[in-house]
Amino acid sequence: MSHALAPLPRRAAALGPVLPLAAVLALPALPAGHGAGPADVGSALVVGYCVILLLREGRRPLSPAAVLVLGLPVVGIALAALGASSPTTGLAGLARYLQIFVLVPAAVLLLLRDRRDFGVLAWTFVGLALFEGAVGVHQYVTRTGASYQGADIRAVGTFGAQDVMGMASVVSLGLVCATGLALGRAPVWRRAAATGCALVLLAPLAVSFSRGAWIATALTCGVQLALAGLRRALKAAAALAAAGVVLVGGFGVGTAQLQERIGSIAQVADAPDQSVVDRYALWSSATGMWRDHPLTGVGLKNFPEYRDGHATLALSSGSDTEGAGAEYHRQALLSPHNMYLLVLSEQGLIGLLALGGSWLALLVCGVRRLLRVRRGGPGPDCGLVACGLLVWVLTDFLYGDIGGPSTVVTAMALGLAAWWALAGGERRDVVAPDGVPGRVEEAVAR
């Protein structure tokens, strides 16, 4: 028995660097108050752990290409921080942007060592999505969710009524991970489990009533199917069609509210509801700020201060939130609900080009690597997951921006995309003399 148990400590130690990352993904499910939540604290600790690990090993942390791609957003962020309304506001905005778009993705890139670590983190995404989705479906069935059209039926998971997009984002990212894992070359039982998880997650995504998450998820899964090949795309499409029939016909997911919400996607130009009107007004306000400050924007976290000076009369004072254990609250509209316009208004053209250039480089490098390994190389499931996560985030940024506990999950998704694009092809598994799988450090880190 001692011989059988001997490898267990070594296997547990082998997962050491990825376990803190998995723990960070579990923290958004914990209740968060005002200010930094558990997920933000956990991500800061992981960044610190990564720095200590690098200092102890005494190796060069990142390749020049990785430094360029991940460090490019710092230019626009730093310039915009100088234009903030106060030094405190500038430092807070600088820390937040660096956390989400630079430090956490860099930590994921450095701590992930091979495809096995990547798989652990991808399945953690799926696990978090299943947990939040189960809470959300329970809220919908028992009418204990956030208020939607006078009924407390909107699934928000543990994120509460003031972060109605949190559960939708987490469930969508988990569904994208499950889809990528199902389309890979893993053993049949693992692909079957991933397929089952993806189908199960369709229900909580539907009752989140998030049009932006629906659009981003549908587009991303379509891209993943196209990248995986025609045969697998047809099989997956058949499975999704069957799941839709079961959800709508068997479980009654196609309620009147859901059907109306789906129909409203095509009515945003003809007869938009107030939420769409507010969004258009906020977008107009953001572009007005950019026209007045084209290069460096109005400064980090200054959108609320300049909003009314550029907004139209159609903009309401805020949105109503209640339910899911919270009292009625009038929530102010403090961002344009579009990440690209938020960056453009607060950081100007310099900031948008820097941040957008970083994302575009990750996407191009990731897709090129995926197309290369799809022809016979290892790890297409990792590539499908990574590219899918990046496509989802970039699409969802058309309808939302950073904010709330789920933002750390977005940063982790960008980290997986960065690993695949910048380091995924440089690492490979080896077998040590004792028979325990080992790893070869990436060539760029030597």
Side-chain angles (χ1 to χ4, degrees):
M1 181 177 295
S2 61
H3 291 290
L5 295 178
L8 292 180
R10 290 199 297 270
R11 293 183 182 277
L15 291 174
V18 76
L19 291 181
L21 297 175
V24 170
L25 274 179
L27 293 177
L30 299 178
H34 298 288
D40 296 311
V41 175
S43 66
L45 292 175
V46 164
V47 172
Y49 167 73
C50 187
V51 172
I52 294 174
L53 199 64
L54 292 174
L55 292 175
R56 188 181 67 181
E57 294 181 357
R59 62 185 176 91
R60 189 175 64 188
L62 294 172
S63 68
V67 170
L68 176 62
V69 172
L70 293 181
L72 190 59
V74 177
V75 177
I77 297 171
L79 288 175
L82 295 176
S85 58
S86 69
T88 302
T89 302
L91 287 175
L94 178 67
R96 185 61 162 168
Y97 272 91
L98 291 181
Q99 172 202 11
I100 302 305
F101 298 117
V102 180
L103 297 178
V104 173
V108 176
L109 170 62
L110 290 166
L111 292 178
L112 290 187
R113 299 161 298 179
D114 57 22
R115 294 185 300 277
R116 182 170 62 180
D117 282 358
F118 187 103
V120 169
L121 209 54
W123 279 106
T124 305
F125 267 91
V126 177
L128 175 64
L130 289 172
F131 170 76
E132 290 291 345
V135 175
V137 170
H138 179 267
Q139 291 170 335
Y140 173 78
V141 173
T142 60
R143 292 179 173 264
T144 56
S147 177
Y148 178 76
Q149 293 186 351
D152 294 341
I153 58 173
R154 187 167 191 173
V156 292
T158 62
F159 294 98
Q162 295 187 17
D163 186 12
V164 294
M165 290 296 298
M167 189 214 74
S169 299
V170 167
V171 168
S172 298
L173 292 172
L175 196 155
V176 168
C177 286
T179 302
L181 293 169
L183 294 173
R185 298 185 186 135
V188 175
W189 68 268
R190 194 176 300 171
R191 285 187 279 119
T195 302
C197 291
L199 296 178
V200 167
L201 290 173
L202 289 175
L205 179 60
V207 295
S208 71
F209 295 100
S210 174
R211 292 172 294 199
W214 294 345
I215 295 171
T217 304
L219 176 63
T220 301
C221 291
V223 171
Q224 288 178 302
L225 292 173
L227 291 173
L230 180 60
R231 181 180 301 178
R232 292 186 178 182
L234 293 176
K235 291 181 180 179
L240 288 174
V245 171
V246 172
L247 287 173
V248 175
F251 295 103
V253 173
T255 61
Q257 293 96 335
L258 182 58
Q259 294 173 3
E260 180 182 347
R261 190 70 165 173
I262 295 174
S264 70
I265 295 176
Q267 297 174 354
V268 293
D270 299 329
D273 56 31
Q274 185 58 46
S275 65
V276 176
V277 172
D278 286 339
R279 184 158 301 184
Y280 285 162
L282 291 169
W283 289 0
S284 175
S285 182
T287 54
M289 296 179 201
W290 169 65
R291 283 193 296 268
D292 290 345
H293 304 82
L295 290 181
T296 58
V298 298
L300 290 185
K301 290 185 171 289
N302 278 354
F303 181 88
E305 182 178 342
Y306 285 80
R307 182 199 64 183
D308 292 341
H310 296 83
T312 64
L313 295 177
L315 179 64
S316 65
S317 60
S319 60
D320 299 332
T321 62
E322 63 178 323
E327 299 294 332
Y328 173 83
H329 176 71
R330 186 71 172 171
Q331 189 167 351
L333 303 173
L334 303 178
S335 73
H337 296 287
N338 180 305
M339 191 66 211
Y340 303 103
L341 292 179
L342 177 62
V343 173
L344 188 64
S345 62
E346 293 189 344
Q347 301 180 35
L349 192 60
I350 294 176
L352 183 62
L353 290 177
L355 200 55
S358 175
W359 296 337
L360 181 60
L362 289 179
L363 184 61
V364 171
C365 292
V367 171
R368 285 181 58 188
R369 180 156 288 161
L370 173 59
L371 294 177
R372 187 162 60 246
V373 301
R374 195 183 67 175
R375 294 192 290 266
D381 49 349
C382 296
L384 290 168
V385 169
C387 294
L389 290 174
L390 186 56
V391 169
W392 189 93
V393 169
L394 297 184
T395 305
D396 184 69
F397 277 167
L398 292 170
Y399 309 97
D401 45 51
I402 58 176
S406 61
T407 303
V408 173
V409 182
T410 301
M412 299 291 288
L414 292 173
L416 285 181
W419 181 87
W420 174 256
L422 302 174
E426 304 289 345
R427 309 177 184 192
R428 60 185 184 277
D429 295 330
V430 297
V431 178
D434 60 359
V436 179
R439 296 173 174 88
V440 174
E441 291 288 344
E442 56 173 319
V444 295
R446 289 175 182 170

